[in-house]
Every structure is written in structure tokens, then in C-alpha cells.
Amino acid sequence: MTIAQIFGAVLGFRTVPTTLLVVLIYLAVFISVLVTDQLPNVPKNQGGLNLDQAYADLHQIAARPHSYNSHANDNVRSYLLKRVKEISAGRDNVVVDDDLQSNGSWASGAYGVYFEGTNILVKVEGTDPEYRETGGVLFSAHYDSVSTASGATDDGMGVATLLQLLTYFVEHRPKRTAVWNINNGEEDWLNGAHAFLRHPWSNITHTFLNLEGAASGGRPLLFRATSSPPLLSFAHNNVPHPHANVLSSDAFARGVIRSGTDFSVYYDGADMSGLDLAFYKGRSKYHTKFDAIPHTVGEKKALWAMMESAKGSGLALLNDAGAMHSDSRSSAVYFDLFGAVMILFPLSSMITFNIVFLVIGPVILILILAAEAAIHHNRRRFIQNGDAPGSSNSIWDHFWSWFVGFGWLKGFWRWAKFWIALIATIAVQVLLVYGYLKVNPFIAYSAPYVAFLSFFSLAYLSFVLVLNLPIPGVKAQIPEQRKQTGLVQTYVFTWIQLVSATATASKTGMGGFYLITMWNVVAFLACCIGAAEGMLSAQGTHPVVVILQQPTPAEERTDNFEEVDENTPLIPRTRHDMTILGGEETGAIGWWIIQILLVIPVPLILVSHIATMLVGALPQTLADGSSPITVYGAFALLAVLMLIPLAPFSFKMHQTLTYLFLLVLVATTLYGYLSFPFDQESPLKVFFQQNITVSPSGTHAITTLSGVSAHIASVISYLPSAAGKDLVCIPSSARLSLQQCGWESDMIPSPASNFTSDNWLNTTATRTGRSSARISVRGVNTRSCRLYFDDNAVTQYHVHGSEDAMQPRYEVPVEGVKELRIWSRTWDRNFTLDVELAQEQFETSGRIACEWNEYESGTVGVASGGKIPAFEEVLTFLPKWAVVTKLTDGLVEVSSKFTI
């Protein structure tokens, strides 16, 4: 074998080398993305942070559930206040404010709130006098948990990180003033952040970093950003292992993610610029007993990941001269690559580039392709046997022969099969989505990668098989031509997508279309290289080719009796038949490698990063009421996008891959259809509440569990108290898309350990005017109560002892609200409210209620706790594949009706 033959076998555009290179690229990208998505190791040099101390703090914070309405919450607050004072002791430039004064009232579209804050605030004055009273940085996390979780990630790790940041910046005084808001009441609809806006220090801060937990560990994600400037703190190697993607911010902005963090209050209520850094993996454990240190994904590594990111960003923000604190509200495009670098650029720049490239890209490519075609045409005329140069009829003769010989049909199939393959692939993906929805819609909850692999395998089979259907009537086609056809079609596809993406980004400000921009660019470059290859007549090693030359048969002539004239060729027209005798045509050496390295890795890397994030975040939102169509639709879309870059080279894929993917498709789909969707590692979340109605006739208890309609009845069947009871199931008003099932219960809770009376509430309601009333309520051993109005709405309200004014931007809407939520920092508080009603009517009715959260197993070691036997029963008897969380703020709500 000669050297040329060796190079041709290895580097020629042949099936085996092409298949190996493509497989290596896909494996390298997938493995790299998955490996770098793991938590990094903790370095020996922690750069002034102390992970062991932070972990010890976390054990104190997350020892037990500590919601705002619990005595354990007071214990956590006492510990944190002690730690803050220890860290700040002896520092003249550090001020600690035990904030027990900030109260406020605010409203949303659905309810009004009165809240008494218990935030712990710390201020470290900056070294630059210019930034001591303005231009400061706010660090925020909340120390309350929900009633059903000890809050290791939500938000114990955030608070432990804040303590480490405080320790660091006390020792390394920054340029700008830093403020810490270790707030209380976030889980009850962001109350602690609202209370902070009532404090004078909120006027100092211009930029914020909010630390959150929306799952159970893993790598914290830069969830969202208000604008471009603060994002700079994550760029330029400030954060060693950044994890960010603008798609999550787009999802929040469009309402796809129905959740809230303190980010919203700081941005909407105070015009601060800032960032949301949060855990997002392991949603099934979120707000459950598994949000505890032993069950945290990564445990100590997860805590370090948040500490490292927060320190890097915070250090940059506090010592920046101004760019990170600009008042610009410009949107940005940002994403990380392999957890090593964050790419960041203005959205406006991307839109401008898209518009320019949408115009000049096609023009340049058309000119290049036209030049290639002209060169090929001249080359064919020069070598064509039997044609007389300069013949005026030759072009029309060729056209007529092409038309009557159905050459146009062959050309149509050549250019249409990409689109037919794409349509066919989308169609079978829709069928697979439908199959999952009908057979086992929740399997992605516990086996997301199995489900995704089934979509990926099916996409490969459908796309590649259709693309490789033979072109009718064509015996052989040059590989470069097939490759270039596929590249041009890929470019056209991305160009169409880029038009839509640019229009959408310009209208909505969404930056997640960066993938389309970069894909279009590399497809353009690959097409240009293909045209250059054609113009230079690049040749590879060839098999033995025999060309049979014979006179054109009479039946193929357009006229059997040609008249001889001056244009008649001296050599009779002949037909050339090409027969390949020695293996496949290899194509040119090297050019295809460059094109593959351009077209496949770039979009594949970008899509794979998105896929890893979505596969980790989306599936377990199903228990919260998310639609399975969203989850499986995303899987299908990502699978198709991963395989479209392969289109130009698909005809060189070895048949072994087809059989392999067929096997994978069958195995994964059977597993997905037949396996039970929940297990101990990924338990189904159900939502608990017990409603007690107190009336002169007695006490009536209803226990409710809410969950996905397909499984909630099965979960309830495990509970002894529900046996033989009539279940009343209705759509949940608190959790959209879930079903709420309730049954009468004789398991009556107790608000306190020594409670022996049935007098849970003391309430009065009297009319003070034609459209005004005064209502008072006092609950035993609680600091949370509510007012519900059935047939009227409240347009104004005032809690005695509070300020009259509503928080700016959060006034009661004109039509009023039908619910008031009242929170006190003290226990057994007697609330008195004056309300103005929207309608003057003879009679207004509603309910006065208070909430309780404490239960025996959740208050071990805490005095003054209550008892909720119904909840303890759920904890004891729930199947191992399910786990319970709270439905609303209170595990128990006791109410009595009123009429005024």
C-alpha cells in the first residue's frame, strides 16, 4: 500500500474515518459537559474562607424545620445574631442592626400583607468615602425554612455563605460599603425583603447578590440577572467555576418558571441591579424532609461551590470602579462553557450582528456558489466529448434533455430530502411524546436521561435514514456534492431560524437565541470551505472507475435523422456510463475534517450545555404541576437540534450505528413505558394541609393532600385515617394543575403542648361605617393570621400600631383584594384592623383564620411546640416513593366565619 493509499484510507472522506470522527466528537462533547457539570473539588487554599466553619454553621441553621411561624425560628435567629456579633466584635467600621422595628404593608394582585420584620442587618463601611452612603452592595439570604424541611439548601447554605462573606470582608475591607440582609419570612412570599426596603440602609445599596435554594444542591446556577452591569462580576475569571445561562432568566421573564425570590423585591421595589444565585437540581427534595444535610446533592462540595461563586462575584462588585454598577438596564446574553469561563456580551450587539449577517451572509454565499458553479460548467464544457465549442444550441439542448429526462425531479429530491427528513423526524418525535404522555408521563421524573436517550435515538434513526434514501434514477453521486448540498441546507435552516430569533429577541428582549447565531455562522463558514474545495477541484483517492463510451442509442436521440450543417460535431455524440469497480468514492482528503470540526462541535456544545441544565431542572417540576408536554417537548427539541449538524455527513455514517441506536431506542422506550416513575431517590411530592372550622356546633376537621391526579389517590390509600372515608377531590386552587383530595378526620391538632381548650381563636368583627369595618383576631401560640372576604373586597386596610402608608409600588389595586395576611414578630398577638370595603352592601361575610406549623417530630429540643397528628401520620405511613411538603404557609389553618 502506497503512502497516498494510506492517507486516503485514514483521511479520505470515507465511511469508517467519518463515522469514527463523528462518534468521537459526540462522545467528547457529551462526556466533557457531563463531567464539568459535577461539583469541583474543594481546594486546599480556600482564599480566606473557612468551609469547616461554614459547615458547622449549617448544622446549627438546618437542625430542624424553622419557619417564620415557629419557635425554632427564634432559636436560629439567636444563633445567627450571636455569630454576627462575634465576627463584628471590635470593628469600628462594622455596624450590626438587630432589626425589630421594620414593619410594613404591601399588596399584590391577590392579597394584602402586614408584616413585622426580624431581619439581621450588618453594614461594613467601604474605604472610599464616595461609596459609603450610596453605591453599596447588598448580600441577601433568608434564614427561615418551610415548615416541612430543615432548609439545608433553602436557604441554610446561603446564610452560611453570608457569614463567611462577612468574615472575609471584615478582614479585607472593600472599596464600597457592603450590607448584609439575613432576612426572615422569605418563604411566606418574600416578606423579609419587603421589610428591608423599609430600613434606611436600603438607600445605600445599588447592586445586590441574592443567594437562594430552589432544589437540593449540586452546582449553583446564576439563575437570573437584572441587566448587563452586575453580570461582569461573574466574568473575567472573577468566579473560578461559573455556571450561568440566560435561558433561565428568559424563563422567569416569560412566566415559564412560576416561582419567586427576593430578587423580585429588590429589583421591582427598589430599582436595584443584581443577581440571583441558586441551587436548582434535585427538585423532588425541595421543601421536604430531604432538604437536609445528609440528602444534599454534593453536601460540603455544594456549600463550597456557593461560597466560591459568591466570594468571587462579591469581591468584584465591592471593588469595582463603576462598570458593574452602571445604571444601564441593557439586557445581556450570557452562558458558561464547561464551568470554566462565562461568555458575556450585550443583547443589542447580538441583534445588530444578526441583522447584518442575515443580509450579507446569503449574498456572499450566493456569489461564492455561483463562482463555483461557473468554474464547474466551464470545466465540463472543456472535457465534454462530441460538443462543438461555441455552439449556440448546446445550453438549450442540455436543458431540454434535463427536462424531458426528469432531471428536475432528481434535483428536487436532492434539495428537498433534508426538509422531508426534518419533517419526518419532528413527526416521529411528536408520536414519541404522545406515547410517553399516554403510557407513563412521569418517568422523566426519576429517569430523565433514559427518556432523553430514547428521543435522541429516535431522532438519529429517522433523520439519518430519510437522508440516506437513494435519489431516484441516480447511479452514483460525488461525495463532495452530497456534503455541500447538506451544508447549504443546514445554512438555509439556520438562516430561517435566525430571522425568527432576531425578530423575537428584538421584541421580547430574550437572549437565549445565541445558539442560532453561532450555528448560522459556522454553517456559513463550512459552506464557503465546501465551495473552495469545489473550485480547487480537490480530489481524494479514487476506486477503479471504468468509463464505457458508446454511440448514443437511437431511442435517446432527440432526432434520429440529423441534418448535417456547419454546427454538426465532427465526432458523433456518445454516451458515457460510469461503473465503480473498486470500493467507495472517498472524496478529497482533509477538507471534510475541517468542515466537521466547524459544523458539529459548536452547536453540539451549546445545545448540550442547555440540555444538561434542562434535564436537571425540568422533569421534577412535574410534581409541582408543570405540564409533561413541556418536559418531553423540550427533550424532543433538544434531541433534534443535536442531530441536525450531522446532516451533511449522514450518508457516511456506518450501518452499525443504525443497529446500535435501534437497540437503544427499543431498550429505553420499553424501560420508559414500563417502569414505575418514582423511587426513594426521586420521590413524588404531595402537599399537605389540615383545615379546622370552629363554630358554635363544634370543631370540624378536613385533611387534604394535593398532588398529580394520576397518583394522589394511591398515596392517600396508605393512610389509616383515610380508610373507608369518602374522598372529595377537586382541582387545587393553591397549586395549578394538581388535584386536591380531602377527607374528614378525627385527628385534631393542638396549638401548644399544654393546650386543653377548644378556644383556638378570639375574634370580633363589627361595622364602623357603610363600607368600613373593624376586625380583631388573636390566635393561641401563633404569629400568623388571615382574613378572607367572600362577597366583598378590601380597598384599604390599617393594622393598629403600624404605619398608615403602603409600601410604594405595592399599593392595593383599585378593585381591592379578598385576602389579608397578617404577621407578627411576637406570639399570641391580638391584631386589630380597620378595613375599607369596595362595595357598600347590607352584609359582608368571610372567614377569620390563623395558621400553625409546629409538630412534635419537627420540634424536638424546642419548647412551646404544637402537635399535628394528621401530619405525623402522613410522615409515618406515606409510601417510600412519596414525600410530603406544605401546601401553603400553614400546615394547619383554623378558621371561623364572620358576618358584618
Side-chain angles (χ1 to χ4, degrees), residues 141-260:
H142 64 91
Y143 67 83
D144 61 308
S145 73
V146 295
S147 54
T148 52
S150 59
T153 57
D154 185 23
D155 191 20
M157 288 192 178
V159 173
T161 297
L162 288 195
L163 293 178
Q164 284 302 301
L165 292 182
L166 178 60
T167 302
Y168 181 86
F169 287 116
V170 164
E171 296 292 336
H172 305 82
R173 191 176 173 188
K175 181 177 182 179
R176 293 174 180 267
T177 293
V179 175
W180 279 255
N181 179 24
I182 307 175
N183 70 80
N184 197 10
E186 189 272 352
E187 296 292 356
D188 306 312
W189 305 104
L190 319 180
N191 293 331
H194 278 288
F196 174 72
L197 296 190
R198 312 295 289 186
H199 193 279
W201 287 359
S202 65
N203 298 319
I204 298 175
T205 54
H206 178 276
T207 308
F208 68 87
L209 175 62
N210 184 55
L211 307 182
E212 256 294 358
S216 61
R219 293 171 67 202
L221 174 72
L222 185 55
F223 232 37
R224 50 180 168 165
T226 59
S227 53
S228 296
L231 283 165
L232 294 170
S233 66
F234 263 73
H236 309 302
N237 298 320
N238 293 323
V239 176
H241 301 95
H243 188 29
N245 199 291
V246 67
L247 282 171
S248 59
S249 189
D250 288 344
F252 265 105
R254 304 265 68 80
V256 176
I257 299 177
R258 297 193 299 266
S259 184

Side-chain angles (χ1 to χ4, degrees), residues 256-271:
V256 176
I257 299 177
R258 297 193 299 266
S259 184
T261 69
D262 291 336
F263 176 104
S264 303
V265 176
Y266 300 139
Y267 179 55
D268 297 332
D271 290 327

Side-chain angles (χ1 to χ4, degrees), residues 97-118:
D97 188 351
D98 180 11
D99 185 15
L100 299 177
Q101 294 80 38
S102 295
N103 307 331
S105 298
W106 47 86
S108 70
Y111 56 85
V113 175
Y114 169 74
F115 182 79
E116 297 179 351
T118 56

Side-chain angles (χ1 to χ4, degrees), residues 310-327:
K311 179 203 168 186
S313 175
L315 196 60
L317 289 170
L318 283 169
N319 292 291
D320 177 68
M324 298 180 190
H325 302 273
S326 168
D327 290 328

Side-chain angles (χ1 to χ4, degrees), residues 677-899:
F678 311 110
D679 55 36
Q680 283 181 291
E681 284 300 312
S682 303
L684 172 66
K685 275 197 296 188
V686 295
F687 302 83
F688 172 91
Q689 188 176 45
Q690 190 173 38
N691 298 98
I692 311 294
T693 302
V694 178
S695 65
S697 60
T699 300
H700 184 64
I702 298 290
T703 300
T704 65
L705 279 183
S706 301
V708 294
S709 57
H711 295 279
I712 188 61
S714 175
V715 172
I716 293 174
S717 68
Y718 284 80
L719 304 179
S721 68
K725 300 291 181 63
D726 292 329
L727 286 182
V728 178
C729 296
I730 59 174
S732 174
S733 59
R735 291 278 176 175
L736 299 179
S737 303
L738 299 184
Q739 190 173 54
Q740 176 178 304
C741 294
W743 64 97
E744 293 189 6
S745 174
D746 56 2
M747 305 181 77
I748 305 300
S750 172
S753 57
N754 56 354
F755 183 75
T756 57
S757 170
D758 292 332
N759 189 20
W760 293 70
L761 303 173
N762 291 316
T763 65
T764 60
T766 57
R767 186 178 292 274
T768 57
R770 298 179 63 183
S771 60
S772 61
R774 176 167 293 174
I775 300 173
S776 67
V777 55
R778 176 183 176 274
V780 176
N781 201 31
T782 184
R783 47 188 182 188
S784 171
C785 295
R786 295 188 178 191
L787 306 179
Y788 299 96
F789 295 83
D790 297 334
D791 50 10
N792 213 328
V794 176
T795 57
Q796 294 182 44
Y797 64 94
H798 171 67
V799 177
H800 287 202
S802 70
E803 298 179 5
D804 291 329
M806 297 288 292
Q807 183 176 321
R809 306 185 188 182
Y810 293 94
E811 294 83 3
V812 177
V814 176
E815 65 275 14
V817 294
K818 290 198 169 187
E819 180 183 340
L820 297 179
R821 302 177 179 182
I822 316 160
W823 302 87
S824 169
R825 67 173 60 91
T826 57
W827 296 93
D828 302 300
R829 166 78 178 275
N830 184 72
F831 295 103
T832 301
L833 295 87
D834 292 327
V835 298
E836 292 289 333
L837 302 174
Q839 302 177 29
E840 295 182 6
Q841 55 190 42
F842 178 74
E843 186 175 273
T844 294
S845 61
R847 293 184 299 123
I848 303 174
C850 288
E851 318 291 314
W852 283 266
N853 283 334
E854 295 180 298
Y855 50 97
E856 286 185 297
S857 62
T859 56
V860 175
V862 179
S864 306
K867 299 179 181 179
I868 309 177
F871 185 72
E872 301 283 8
E873 178 196 41
V874 173
L875 289 174
T876 302
F877 291 103
L878 214 61
K880 61 184 180 181
W881 49 266
V883 68
V884 65
T885 184
K886 55 110 180 181
L887 179 65
T888 61
D889 301 338
L891 290 176
V892 171
E893 181 175 87
V894 179
S895 64
S896 63
K897 295 182 178 180
F898 72 86
T899 300

